[in-house]
Amino acid sequence: MFKLEPRPVPSKALTFASPLIALLITVLIGVGLFMALDKDPVAGLRMFFIEPLKSPYALSELSLKATPLILIGLGLAACFRANLWNIGAEGQFVMGAIFAGGVAMQATPDTGRWIVVAVLAAGMLGGMVWAGIVAALRDRFHASEILVSLMLVYVAEMLLSYLVYGPWKDPAGYNFPQTITFLEATRVPKLMTGLRMNIGLILALVAVVGFAIFLFRTYAGFQLQVGGLAPQAARYAGFSSRKALWTALLLSGGMAGLAGALDVAGPQGQLTPYVPLGYGFAAIIVAFVGRLHPVGIVFSAILMSMFFIGGELAQSRLGLPKAMTGVFQGLLLFTLLACDTFIHQRLRWANAK
C-alpha cells in the first residue's frame, strides 16, 4: 500500500514555483475539457487568457473584478495566518454593500462629493459588524468560526432580499426588486473617462502596501502570526489570543465590506438581489494561490479575474456553460493543493502488516 511521508527538506524552488505548476496543470486539464465538449481549445484558452488583456476596456473591466478580490483576499490572508478560518467573507461583502447603500440613499441633489467617504466607511463598518458576530461567538462560546461565518452568508443574503423586495424597493422601479439608482455624488470616482475603472484600484494597491507593512514589519502583525503558527508559544510569550482573534476578523470583515461598498457605489450603482457575486468565496482561492502574501494576492487576483471574465466570454461566444468559471477556479485550487502535498511529502510503498 502507498502512504505519504514528510520530506526531510522540501524544495524551496518547487515551493515557490508551485502556483505556476498548478496553473500549467489547470490549463492542460482545461484543454482536455474543451476537447471533450467539442470546442476549439485554442479559442477556449484565448477567452480566458488573451481577451481579458487585449484592450484598455478589457483591462478596465479586469480591474473591476480584481479590486474586490484583492481587498477580500488581503483580509482573509490575515485571518488564515492567525489560524482563523473565515469562510463567510461573501456575507461580509453583502453587509458592506447594504450599509454603503443605506448611506448612499440618504443623499440629496445638494449633497457634496464628500459623501463618497461616508459610503465607503459605512461599507467597512458593515463588514466589520458581520465579522464581529463571528468573533464574539468564537470568543465567548468557542463556536466554530467556519460554520458561523458560512451560515451568516445566507442571513446577509436574506436580509438583502428583504430590503430590496420591501422597505428599500424603488417605488418608481416598475416593481423590480431594486433600490433607487444612487445619485452621482455618491458614486466612486472613475480614473479614466469612458472606462469603468475607478479609485477602488488605488485603494486596493494602498491596502496591499499597508497589509505588507502590518504583517511583516509591525509587532502587532508578528503577534497575530505567532498566535496562528504556534499558539502555545504565543501564550508563553504573553501574546493575547483574544486580541489576535478580534484583530484578524475585524480586518477581514472591513476589507470585505469595503469591497462591497466599492461594488454597489461603483459599477452597480444600486442594490439588487444580485449583489452577491461569489467574490467572497473566490477570494479564498486567491489568498492561497497568492501564498497568503499581499504581493502574491495581487497576481492571483488578476488570474482569478481572468477566469471570471473568460467564463462570461466563453459562455456568450462559444456556448460553453457558465459553470466553466467555477471549474477553472476549482481546478486551480485542487492542483495547487496537490502540488503542495507532493512538494512537502513523498509517496512511498509500505508493505501491509
Side-chain angles (χ1 to χ4, degrees):
M1 60 180 293
F2 288 101
K3 71 173 184 177
L4 291 171
E5 65 177 30
R7 295 183 185 274
V9 183
S11 170
K12 291 184 178 180
L14 286 177
T15 300
F16 179 78
S18 179
L20 297 177
I21 298 172
L23 176 60
L24 178 60
I25 297 173
T26 299
V27 170
L28 293 176
I29 297 175
V31 168
L33 288 174
F34 290 134
M35 295 177 67
L37 294 171
D38 199 24
K39 302 294 182 180
D40 181 3
V42 175
L45 293 179
R46 186 171 64 246
M47 294 299 107
F48 281 89
F49 297 104
I50 303 298
E51 294 294 330
L53 304 173
K54 67 181 299 184
S55 68
Y57 175 79
L59 291 174
S60 172
E61 295 301 301
L62 187 70
S63 74
L64 289 180
K65 301 285 187 183
T67 294
L69 292 174
I70 292 172
L71 291 171
I72 302 172
L74 290 171
L76 291 179
C79 270
F80 297 154
R81 283 181 174 273
N83 201 26
L84 293 167
W85 298 93
N86 178 16
I87 308 299
E90 183 77 358
Q92 294 145 30
F93 176 92
V94 172
M95 289 305 298
I98 291 174
F99 274 56
V103 173
M105 287 190 293
Q106 306 308 311
T108 66
D110 298 326
T111 302
R113 291 292 284 169
W114 59 266
I115 197 172
V116 173
V117 177
V119 169
L120 297 183
M124 293 186 69
L125 177 62
M128 293 172 73
V129 167
W130 220 236
I133 297 174
V134 180
L137 293 175
R138 167 67 186 270
D139 185 23
R140 181 65 180 85
F141 300 106
H142 303 288
S144 168
E145 71 275 12
I146 297 175
L147 294 177
V148 174
S149 62
L150 184 59
M151 292 300 102
L152 283 175
V153 172
Y154 304 104
V155 177
E157 291 177 352
M158 292 300 102
L159 177 59
L160 173 65
S161 294
Y162 164 73
L163 292 172
V164 297
Y165 278 95
W168 285 6
K169 180 191 284 188
D170 181 6
Y174 302 99
N175 206 35
F176 284 102
Q178 61 190 28
T179 65
I180 59 171
T181 301
F182 302 152
L183 297 180
E184 188 61 32
T186 68
R187 305 292 293 274
V188 177
K190 296 179 180 179
L191 293 179
M192 300 178 67
T193 304
L195 299 177
R196 298 201 299 168
M197 182 188 300
N198 58 46
I199 62 168
L201 179 61
I202 296 177
L203 294 177
L205 296 178
V206 170
V208 169
V209 176
F211 268 80
I213 294 173
F214 169 73
L215 289 173
F216 307 118
R217 292 292 185 268
T218 66
Y219 187 60
F222 174 72
Q223 286 182 310
L224 184 145
Q225 295 186 76
V226 171
L229 293 173
Q232 293 182 345
R235 285 194 294 269
Y236 181 78
F239 297 164
S240 172
S241 59
R242 293 187 65 194
K243 182 179 178 181
L245 166 71
W246 282 92
T247 300
L249 281 169
L250 291 181
L251 272 175
S252 183
M255 289 297 99
L258 176 59
L262 286 168
D263 190 62
V264 297
Q268 295 205 38
Q270 63 183 167
L271 286 174
T272 71
Y274 310 107
V275 166
L277 297 170
Y279 290 142
F281 296 118
I284 298 173
I285 304 175
V286 167
F288 279 107
V289 173
R291 284 291 186 257
L292 305 183
H293 191 286
V295 176
I297 285 171
V298 174
F299 292 102
S300 61
I302 293 173
L303 177 62
M304 201 62 58
S305 302
M306 293 167 67
F307 287 169
F308 271 112
I309 295 175
E312 295 170 358
L313 293 175
Q315 181 184 15
S316 60
R317 299 184 185 181
L318 300 179
L320 289 170
K322 185 179 180 181
M324 285 300 294
T325 298
V327 169
F328 268 88
Q329 292 175 353
L331 280 174
L332 182 61
L333 179 61
F334 178 81
T335 53
L336 178 67
L337 294 175
C339 288
D340 285 348
T341 297
F342 288 109
I343 287 171
H344 291 86
Q345 301 179 80
R346 56 188 174 189
L347 198 62
R348 298 294 296 270
W349 173 264
N351 293 325
K353 294 183 180 179

